[in-house]
Amino acid sequence: MALTVRRKSRPGSVGKRSRALVRPGAVCSPVARKRPSSAGQEPPRSNDSEEKIFGNYDGFYGNDSLLAQVGIEHKHLQDKNMDTKAPGDIICGSLQSGFHQKKQDNFSSSENMVVLKAVKEYAFQMNETDSVDSNQESTESILDDLPSSQLLYFEKMDELSSGSRISPVSERRNKCVSSSSDKIRSPSSFCPDAEHGNKPIDSDSKYDLFKTESLKDHIKSAMTGNAKAQTLQVSKTKQLKEAVLSEEICFARKTIKSSSVDIGPFYGLPSKVQDLLRQFRGIEMLYEWQHDCLMLESLQQRKNLIYSLPTSGGKTLVAEIIILQELLCRQKDVLMILPYVAIVQEKVRGLSSFGIELGFLVEEYAGSKGRFPPIKRRIKKSLYIATIEKGHALVNSLIETERIGDLGLVVVDELHMVGEGSRGATLEITLAKILYTSKNTQIIGMSATLNNVGDLQKFLRAEYYTSDFRPVELKEYVKIRDTIYAVDGKTENDFTFSRLLNFKYSSNLEKADPDHVIALVTEVIPQYSCLVFCPTKKNCENVASMVCRYLKKEFRAHREKEKQDLIKNLKNIGNGSVCPVLKETIPFGIAYHHSGLTNDERKSIEEAYSAGVLCLLACTATLAAGVNLPARRVILRAPYVGNDFLKKNQYKQMIGRAGRAGFDSAGESILIVQEKDKHLVQDLVKSPLENCYSNLLVQLTKGMQSLLLSLVGLKIAVTHEEVNDFMCSTLLGVQQQHLSKEKSVSEIIKDGLENLIEKGLLKVRLSEKDHNSICMLMITPLGKATYKGSIDLAYCNLLYRELKKGLEGLILESNLHLLYLVTPYDVTSNCSPDWMIYLRQFNQLSTAEQKVADIVGVPESFITKKASGQAIRKNVDSAVVNRLYLSLVLYNLLKETNIWSVSEKFNMSRGYVQNLLNSAASFTSCVLHFCEELEEFWVYKALLTELTKRLTYCVKTELIPLMEVAGVLEARAKQLYNAGYKTSAHLANANPETLVKMIEHLSRHQAKQIVSSAKMLLSEKTEALQEEVEELLKVPTDIPETY
C-alpha cells in the first residue's frame, strides 16, 4: 500500500520522516520555507502603470467610473465592518484550486454584491463603447469577450456570493472544460498579477489588511494583468485550460522569486508536471529523500548544490524537477552536462515529451550536433543537453556573445568525472568559467561516488546533501572457490560465511567453468535479469558462449518468438549479416554488450534486455556508467578492468546496477575472487572512494594551456595578474598545495603563456596605464580558431599546415583528400594496418585518388614494399601512413554506408569502425569551426559542412531527414521509410498506435518517444525560422532621418 507522509514545515530545517515515500501532489514547493506571521504579511503589489493597455476596452485611467464606484461601496463596507466587526477575507488573485488549500472563510454577502455590481458596471461601460452592438448584447455575451482568466475571476466571486447558484459564466466554463482536453501552450502566456495566502487571518488583523489592500486595487491588478496578455483567436475551452496552466506557472514563478507561504501544487510547478511524470514515467510518488532535497534552503535561495546518493537512488528526477522550475518559472535556459553521447541521446528522447507539453525546447549537443552560439529564443526557453566537450564549447560561445546570463542553471551528472583525465580537465574549465563570468547561474552537481566533497564544495561554492537511500536493498557478496561470503564491514576480516553453492558440476563443466558462473546465473535467470561484468571485450563473448553451451534446452522456450524476432532484427541491421556469437546465445536469452557492437546493435540489445527478452548480459565496465540497465543480480567476473585492479569508484558503479526499483525486493552483487586476490579485495571493500583531483596540470594541452588560450580569447583574463585571479576559482586553485609542490601555480601559468606565445597562438602588447607599462595578452587568428574549434593544442599547428598545403592542390574528384584532412589525429596510434589490405585498397583507387597518397607523403612504393615484406630505407611518418589507412576506411564507409561489409573488408571489428566514424564526424565539425575563423580557409567551409552531415549519419541521402530525429538510427529509419514515413513532418504527425502496427519490433513507448522527438525537431526548426523572420522585419533604431 502506498503511504504518504504528512509533515509540517518548520523554519530552517526539515524534520525526520517516518516513511519512505511522499505523494508529489501533497507537498509544498521548495521555494520558501520561512513562514511569516500574519501581522508581518507583505501587502500585495498593484500595477500602477498609466499606459492604456486594454485594446478595445476603456482603460482604468481613461474612465475611472467603475473603480470610483467600487471605492465608494468599499468605503461603506469598511465603515460597516468597524461597527459590526464582521469577519471577512481577501479574495485571492489565483483561482486554480489545486494551487493552494481551499479557503475556509467566504466573503460576506454584502462584499460579494460589490463585486457583482462592479461586474455589471464594467459590462455597461463596454456596451457603451461598442456603438454597433450597444442595444443587442446582454451581460452574458459581453463576458464572453473577456480574457479567460478574468472570466475565472468573476466566476469565483459569483460562486462565493450566490452559494449554490451557478452563473452563466460558470455554466459555460463547465461545459467547455468537460468537452475536451487541450494541449498546453508556452508558459510565457498571461498570468494575473495577484497575491494570495493560505493561512487564516484572525479577526483583529483583517481590518488592517482590508484597509491596506482595497478591493479596487484587487480588480485593477487582475484586470491590468489580463489586459497585458495577447488575445488569441482560439476556442473558449482552450482559453480556459490555458488560463489555468498559465496562472499556475506565473504564480509558481512569483513564489520562487519571493518568500511566500503558499507555494504551489508541485514544488512550485504547475500540476500538469505531476500528471506528465505519472503519464510518461509512471511516477506516482517521490521518495522521502527527494522531497527533503527539493525542500533544502540552499535550493530556495538559489545556492549551488552537490548531492550524492548510491546508484539507482533517483538522483536524476530531482535534477529534472529543478530544471523544469528554471525553464517554466524563472524563464531561463538550462544546460545539462552528461558524460556520454548515448546518455545524451537517451535524455533528449526522454525529455522531448515534456518539452512538447510544457512549451520549451530540447536541443542536443553531442558528436557533430549543436549550434554555436545557440539561437537566442524570444519566447520559448531551451534545455541544452550536452556532452562534456560540447558543453564547454557552448559555454564559450555564450560568454563570447555576452549571453552567459541567459543560462540560469547548469546541471552536471557524474560530477566525479571532474577528476578523470582530459575530460575531467574540460569539465573543470567549463564550471570555472561559469562561476567566474555569471554570478546568477546556479550549478547543481550529482554523483554516486564522491569522497573529497569539501574540495568540490569550495570549488563550486556549493552546499552538500547526501543520503544512503536505495529504493531496493543491496546485498554485497564475494565468492571464493565454492563458498559465498557476505561483505560485512563490522567483522574483523570484512567477510562472513553465507552459504555454499548448490550446483552439481561434471568434470567437463568444472574445466569449462572453474569460477562457477553458470551456477550463479542459473539461480536467477530466466525469471530475473542478471549482468556479468567482465575484464575485457573478448571475455564478454567467451562468457556468453560458455554459459549458453551448458544451459538446459528449457531456456530456449522462454519468450522464444521474441528472441527470434531480435535475431531477425539484428540481421536486418547487418544487411544480412549477424554476429555468430549473438546468433548462438540469443536463443537462450543471453547476449554480450561492449564497444565492439554498432550503435544499432547496442540499442536493439538494450531494448530487448529492458523488455525481459534477454535475461543475461555479459558486459564491460562501460555499461556501469552508461545507460540505465539494472538487474536482480550483478556478477563481477574478476576484480579487474583490463589489466588494472578494480578501483572503489568502479566497483560501486558496477554493483549499483543490482536491484530494480518496482520489480525486485532486493539486489545482489557477487564478486568472484581468486585466493591470490583475497587480501586486495578485502582492502577494496573497506577502502573509501577515490578522491577527485584537478587534471589541469596532468593534461597540459587539453588542460592548463587550453584554459589559458580561451581565457585570453574570451577576454576573461588578459594579464598575468587576471589569469592568476581566475585560477583561484578553479579546483586546481583549491588543491594547489597538494598538486603543485615543485612549482607554484603562478610559475606554471607563466610557463604556459610563454609556450602559447611560442606556438603563435598568443601575442603580447605593451599598454600604458597610470604611467606604468602593462603586458596585455592578445589572441592571434590561429589561437582564436584553435579554441573556437576545440582543437587539441598538440595538433593545432599540424592541422593548420595540412589545411594550408591542401589549398595548393586539393583533389576533389572524390572525398578521399578531404577525409584525410578530417581523420582524427588521436586515433592513429591505435591503428595497425594490414599491408595486403592496404595495397589492395590502394590499387582500387583511381589515378587522381592515388595522387592523394603522394601529396600527403605515402608513396606507392612504400605500401608495395611493406606488403611484400621488403626492407624500407626511406623513413615515412607512421602517423601519416596510419591516418591515410583510416581515411580509406572512411572513404569506403561513405561509398557503401554499411559498417558490416567495411569491417570485414578491412578485417576490423565493426565496433571499431563505428567508433572511428563517430570520432571523424565530431572532428570534422571541429575543423569546420576552425576554418570559419580563418579567412584563407574559406573554401573549406562549404565542403566540410556537407561532409560533416554525411559522416554524422553515413546513410543513403533519403534516410537523413528521419535520422535527424532523436532515437532513430539507420535500421529504424529504413523501416519507417519503407512504411511511407519519409520526413520528420511525417513522424511528427504520425499516430503512435499506427506506428506500432506498421513497424516491426517497435513498442508503444518507443513510438511515442519518436513522435515527441519529431515534434520537438520541427518545433526547433520552426522557432529558428520565426526568429530569423522577426529579426529581418525588425525596424532598425539607427535609420538616418531627413530634415
Side-chain angles (χ1 to χ4, degrees):
M1 181 178 70
L3 298 174
T4 302
V5 181
R6 300 190 64 182
R7 49 192 80 161
K8 295 180 181 178
S9 297
R10 299 187 304 200
S13 64
V14 181
K16 294 289 182 184
R17 275 49 172 179
S18 58
R19 295 289 188 272
L21 299 177
V22 180
R23 190 180 304 280
V27 297
C28 295
S29 161
V31 181
R33 301 291 310 285
K34 295 181 182 177
R35 185 181 292 275
S37 64
S38 59
Q41 191 164 351
E42 181 182 340
R45 295 185 298 273
S46 62
N47 189 343
D48 293 329
S49 170
E50 298 194 25
E51 293 180 301
K52 181 160 181 174
I53 52 177
F54 293 98
N56 294 329
Y57 303 119
D58 288 338
F60 286 133
Y61 303 96
N63 184 347
D64 206 26
S65 59
L66 164 65
L67 296 176
Q69 181 65 30
V70 171
I72 293 167
E73 293 285 347
H74 191 193
K75 187 174 187 302
H76 171 71
L77 281 173
Q78 285 182 339
D79 295 336
K80 186 176 178 181
N81 282 339
M82 290 179 67
D83 294 333
T84 63
K85 301 288 185 184
D89 275 344
I90 306 300
I91 190 165
C92 216
S94 172
L95 298 177
Q96 171 60 16
S97 61
F99 228 130
H100 48 75
Q101 298 173 358
K102 291 184 178 179
K103 305 296 183 289
Q104 300 299 318
D105 303 308
N106 294 327
F107 280 114
S108 65
S109 59
S110 59
E111 289 173 313
N112 289 315
M113 290 305 294
V114 175
V115 177
L116 291 174
K117 188 170 182 179
V119 174
K120 291 176 182 176
E121 280 281 281
Y122 188 62
F124 178 73
Q125 287 183 25
M126 289 190 296
N127 274 333
E128 284 193 326
T129 60
D130 191 343
S131 59
V132 178
D133 300 320
S134 58
N135 296 320
Q136 298 175 7
E137 292 184 1
S138 65
T139 300
E140 182 177 338
S141 63
I142 293 164
L143 290 174
D144 268 339
D145 294 328
L146 291 175
S148 56
S149 59
Q150 197 163 308
L151 295 178
L152 292 169
Y153 186 90
F154 290 146
E155 175 205 341
K156 181 71 176 180
M157 293 188 288
D158 196 0
E159 286 175 1
L160 290 170
S161 67
S162 58
S164 59
R165 184 177 63 83
I166 300 175
S167 69
V169 177
S170 178
E171 221 171 66
R172 287 194 305 279
R173 176 177 177 269
N174 291 339
K175 191 183 297 182
C176 290
V177 170
S178 61
S179 65
S180 65
S181 65
D182 239 340
K183 288 184 181 176
I184 300 167
R185 89 181 158 180
S186 169
S188 59
S189 53
F190 112 100
C191 172
D193 185 15
E195 300 288 337
H196 74 289
N198 70 340
K199 222 166 56 169
I201 304 173
D202 62 340
S203 58
D204 293 333
S205 62
K206 282 178 184 174
Y207 175 70
D208 292 335
L209 282 172
F210 209 71
K211 186 177 177 182
T212 305
E213 173 64 11
S214 69
L215 189 58
K216 172 182 174 180
D217 287 336
H218 267 299
I219 295 177
K220 182 194 299 183
S221 175
M223 293 171 69
T224 303
N226 289 339
K228 287 181 180 178
Q230 292 184 352
T231 305
L232 302 177
Q233 298 300 316
V234 294
S235 68
K236 285 289 183 279
T237 304
K238 191 162 187 174
Q239 285 184 349
L240 290 168
K241 293 179 92 50
E242 287 176 347
V244 170
L245 179 66
S246 299
E247 286 169 27
E248 285 191 356
I249 289 175
C250 193
F251 179 76
R253 188 184 307 138
K254 283 172 19 181
T255 57
I256 279 180
K257 287 181 181 176
S258 62
S259 292
S260 174
V261 175
D262 193 347
I263 41 184
F266 187 71
Y267 302 103
L269 288 165
S271 53
K272 179 70 176 177
V273 174
Q274 189 177 345
D275 297 335
L276 293 176
L277 286 173
R278 187 182 298 113
Q279 178 185 343
F280 296 143
R281 304 280 180 80
I283 295 174
E284 296 283 346
M285 300 169 119
L286 296 184
Y287 296 124
E288 183 180 356
W289 84 263
Q290 292 172 326
H291 170 78
D292 291 349
C293 189
L294 287 166
M295 297 295 289
L296 289 172
E297 286 288 339
S298 54
L299 284 182
Q300 298 168 37
Q301 297 168 11
R302 285 187 57 74
K303 292 181 180 178
N304 297 341
L305 176 70
I306 299 169
Y307 62 100
S308 177
L309 281 96
T311 303
S312 304
K315 296 185 294 296
T316 305
L317 178 60
V318 170
E320 289 174 349
I321 290 173
I322 297 170
I323 285 169
L324 292 176
Q325 288 173 348
E326 196 69 30
L327 290 165
L328 302 182
C329 301
R330 297 189 184 94
Q331 288 287 291
K332 289 283 190 178
D333 295 329
V334 177
L335 169 61
M336 187 177 198
I337 299 177
L338 301 171
Y340 303 113
V341 174
I343 306 177
V344 168
Q345 292 170 341
E346 182 184 41
K347 189 59 65 180
V348 169
R349 292 195 299 272
L351 290 177
S352 288
S353 303
F354 287 86
I356 293 297
E357 293 293 334
L358 296 171
F360 62 87
L361 299 174
V362 180
E363 301 185 38
E364 180 182 339
Y365 280 75
S368 62
K369 293 185 178 180
R371 186 191 297 256
F372 304 101
I375 296 172
K376 186 175 176 63
R377 315 286 183 182
R378 294 173 186 266
I379 301 173
K380 291 186 178 181
K381 296 304 169 184
S382 292
L383 167 57
Y384 310 115
I385 304 180
T387 57
I388 292 171
E389 294 78 13
K390 289 293 181 180
H392 180 220
L394 178 64
V395 167
N396 280 347
S397 69
L398 291 173
I399 294 172
E400 185 180 29
T401 54
E402 298 182 351
R403 287 169 49 196
I404 191 66
D406 293 344
L407 202 60
L409 173 69
V410 175
V411 174
V412 182
D413 195 7
E414 310 295 356
L415 182 62
H416 62 272
M417 289 193 71
V418 77
E420 297 183 9
S422 62
R423 304 193 79 215
T426 303
L427 180 57
E428 179 183 347
I429 291 169
T430 305
L431 296 175
K433 286 176 181 175
I434 294 167
L435 288 165
Y436 195 82
T437 59
S438 178
K439 305 304 179 187
N440 297 320
T441 302
Q442 185 181 22
I443 296 175
I444 306 289
M446 52 182 168
S447 174
T449 54
L450 288 177
N451 189 32
N452 57 329
V453 179
D455 287 352
L456 293 172
Q457 279 186 268
K458 287 179 185 177
F459 167 42
L460 296 178
R461 305 161 207 166
E463 302 291 318
Y464 179 58
Y465 176 90
T466 187
S467 169
D468 58 1
F469 171 81
R470 274 184 60 91
V472 177
E473 182 189 3
L474 173 62
K475 298 175 181 177
E476 293 180 48
Y477 300 97
V478 297
K479 187 192 80 68
I480 304 173
R481 296 193 181 93
D482 60 349
T483 307
I484 294 180
Y485 300 89
V487 175
D488 186 357
K490 298 176 183 177
T491 61
E492 186 176 346
N493 63 356
D494 300 303
F495 301 148
T496 58
F497 174 82
S498 177
R499 62 187 175 94
L500 291 171
L501 276 178
N502 183 22
F503 190 89
K504 292 181 180 179
Y505 268 75
S506 65
S507 57
N508 288 337
L509 184 54
E510 188 73 41
K511 290 177 184 177
D513 182 25
D515 293 327
H516 309 110
V517 174
I518 293 173
L520 294 173
V521 301
T522 51
E523 288 177 347
V524 290
I525 65 170
Q527 288 81 12
Y528 300 102
S529 56
C530 181
L531 294 174
V532 181
F533 284 101
C534 303
T536 66
K537 290 185 284 188
K538 189 63 180 173
N539 195 229
C540 292
E541 298 178 28
N542 291 340
V543 167
S545 296
M546 182 268 293
V547 170
C548 75
R549 214 170 287 138
Y550 291 95
L551 286 181
K552 295 178 181 178
K553 291 184 179 180
E554 288 78 26
F555 281 87
R556 298 178 69 100
H558 181 73
R559 302 183 73 162
E560 186 174 9
K561 183 182 182 304
E562 290 161 286
K563 288 185 284 195
Q564 290 302 319
D565 288 342
L566 174 59
I567 293 174
K568 183 181 175 183
N569 187 35
L570 290 173
K571 198 170 184 178
N572 291 335
I573 289 170
N575 289 330
S577 301
V578 64
C579 172
V581 176
L582 292 176
K583 193 173 183 179
E584 175 192 10
T585 61
I586 287 175
F588 291 89
I590 299 170
Y592 65 83
H593 185 288
H594 57 58
S595 60
L597 296 168
T598 66
N599 291 344
D600 282 295
E601 286 176 319
R602 195 179 301 122
K603 188 178 179 188
S604 294
I605 287 171
E606 288 167 358
E607 289 172 353
Y609 177 82
S610 298
V613 176
L614 297 175
C615 55
L616 172 65
L617 290 184
C619 52
T620 53
T622 51
L623 181 69
V627 292
N628 187 23
L629 295 175
R632 173 66 171 268
R633 176 176 288 179
V634 168
I635 299 168
L636 280 69
R637 177 73 176 73
Y640 291 90
V641 174
N643 295 321
D644 300 323
F645 194 78
L646 201 60
K647 294 179 181 177
K648 186 60 176 279
N649 287 352
Q650 294 170 326
Y651 173 70
K652 283 291 186 183
Q653 288 272 11
M654 291 180 192
I655 68 172
R657 294 300 182 192
R660 299 177 302 165
F663 294 92
D664 302 325
S665 56
E668 300 172 337
S669 71
I670 301 174
L671 172 57
I672 299 174
V673 181
Q674 305 299 324
E675 194 68 45
K676 65 182 179 68
D677 293 325
K678 182 178 178 181
H679 294 295
L680 291 173
V681 171
Q682 284 177 322
D683 292 339
L684 173 71
V685 297
K686 66 183 178 184
S687 66
L689 294 163
E690 287 81 15
N691 288 335
C692 284
Y693 290 114
S694 172
N695 276 269
L696 289 182
L697 299 183
V698 180
Q699 304 287 331
L700 276 179
T701 58
K702 289 188 178 180
M704 179 61 80
Q705 291 183 12
S706 175
L707 171 59
L708 295 175
L709 181 66
S710 62
L711 287 180
V712 177
L714 294 168
K715 299 179 182 176
I716 295 173
V718 293
T719 66
H720 195 287
E721 292 72 22
E722 289 176 348
V723 173
N724 282 334
D725 182 50
F726 179 89
M727 281 301 161
C728 295
S729 66
T730 64
L731 182 59
L732 174 62
V734 174
Q735 299 174 332
Q736 58 183 308
Q737 291 182 344
H738 302 290
L739 301 179
S740 56
K741 295 178 180 178
E742 296 179 2
K743 283 185 177 181
S744 68
V745 171
S746 182
E747 289 175 318
I748 294 169
I749 291 170
K750 184 180 177 182
D751 292 344
L753 291 173
E754 288 175 355
N755 188 276
L756 292 172
I757 292 169
E758 285 176 16
K759 287 183 176 180
L761 303 176
L762 292 180
K763 59 185 179 182
V764 178
R765 180 172 61 88
L766 289 176
S767 176
E768 290 288 333
K769 187 176 182 181
D770 298 330
H771 305 290
N772 293 320
S773 294
I774 301 174
C775 291
M776 303 288 289
L777 296 166
M778 297 180 66
I779 197 162
T780 64
L782 177 59
K784 187 176 183 181
T786 300
Y787 93 79
K788 292 195 75 171
S790 302
I791 304 295
D792 189 338
L793 270 62
Y795 306 117
C796 62
N797 283 299
L798 176 58
L799 175 63
Y800 178 81
R801 288 196 301 270
E802 291 191 330
L803 289 170
K804 187 81 172 174
K805 188 177 179 181
L807 291 179
E808 297 171 8
L810 190 63
I811 295 175
L812 295 176
E813 182 179 289
S814 71
N815 286 321
L816 182 59
H817 200 169
L818 270 178
L819 285 169
Y820 174 81
L821 294 174
V822 297
T823 299
Y825 293 101
D826 54 2
V827 298
T828 57
S829 58
N830 299 324
C831 175
S832 299
D834 183 314
W835 295 106
M836 290 303 298
I837 294 174
Y838 207 149
L839 181 60
R840 190 183 309 126
Q841 289 298 316
F842 181 85
N843 289 333
Q844 290 175 5
L845 298 175
S846 68
T847 305
E849 289 170 337
Q850 288 180 355
K851 285 182 183 176
V852 175
D854 281 329
I855 291 171
V856 301
V858 184
E860 181 181 0
S861 58
F862 174 82
I863 301 172
T864 305
K865 288 179 180 179
K866 273 288 189 181
S868 61
Q870 297 179 34
I872 307 293
R873 293 179 183 178
K874 186 179 178 182
N875 288 330
V876 178
D877 189 344
S878 61
V880 174
V881 173
N882 292 354
R883 199 159 173 239
L884 180 61
Y885 187 67
L886 295 176
S887 303
L888 291 170
V889 176
L890 294 170
Y891 178 62
N892 277 271
L893 270 173
L894 289 186
K895 280 203 302 184
E896 300 181 27
T897 67
N898 186 336
I899 290 175
W900 267 91
S901 64
V902 172
S903 63
E904 289 174 1
K905 186 180 291 185
F906 284 85
N907 196 25
M908 294 175 168
S909 75
R910 59 197 185 282
Y912 180 87
V913 175
Q914 175 78 75
N915 292 332
L916 172 63
L917 179 62
N918 295 341
S919 298
S922 182
F923 187 63
T924 306
S925 175
C926 293
V927 175
L928 172 59
H929 294 306
F930 180 88
C931 292
E932 285 173 343
E933 297 302 319
L934 298 168
E935 287 186 19
E936 58 195 298
F937 293 150
W938 63 271
V939 70
Y940 288 116
K941 294 177 189 177
L943 296 171
L944 293 179
T945 301
E946 182 61 28
L947 187 61
T948 301
K949 195 171 186 179
R950 291 191 63 189
L951 286 170
T952 299
Y953 301 109
C954 193
V955 293
K956 293 179 180 177
T957 307
E958 64 265 20
L959 297 181
I960 290 178
L962 295 173
M963 290 187 66
E964 288 178 341
V965 177
V968 177
L969 298 180
E970 183 180 4
R972 186 73 76 208
K974 287 178 180 178
Q975 287 181 307
L976 292 166
Y977 189 86
N978 292 334
Y981 298 95
K982 299 186 178 181
T983 65
S984 53
H986 284 140
L987 291 180
N989 292 283
N991 185 333
E993 298 298 328
T994 306
L995 284 176
V996 171
K997 292 175 184 176
M998 296 183 68
I999 308 299
E1000 285 187 309
H1001 321 302
L1002 183 68
S1003 68
R1004 186 168 284 100
H1005 175 69
Q1006 291 164 353
K1008 288 179 179 178
Q1009 279 196 336
I1010 287 173
V1011 172
S1012 293
S1013 297
K1015 286 180 178 178
M1016 179 57 67
L1017 179 65
L1018 286 188
S1019 179
E1020 282 180 35
K1021 290 183 175 181
T1022 304
E1023 286 284 323
L1025 291 172
Q1026 286 175 345
E1027 299 286 344
E1028 192 175 339
V1029 168
E1030 288 184 23
E1031 195 62 36
L1032 288 171
L1033 296 178
K1034 190 176 178 182
V1035 179
T1037 57
D1038 57 349
I1039 299 175
E1041 295 184 8
T1042 55
Y1043 296 95

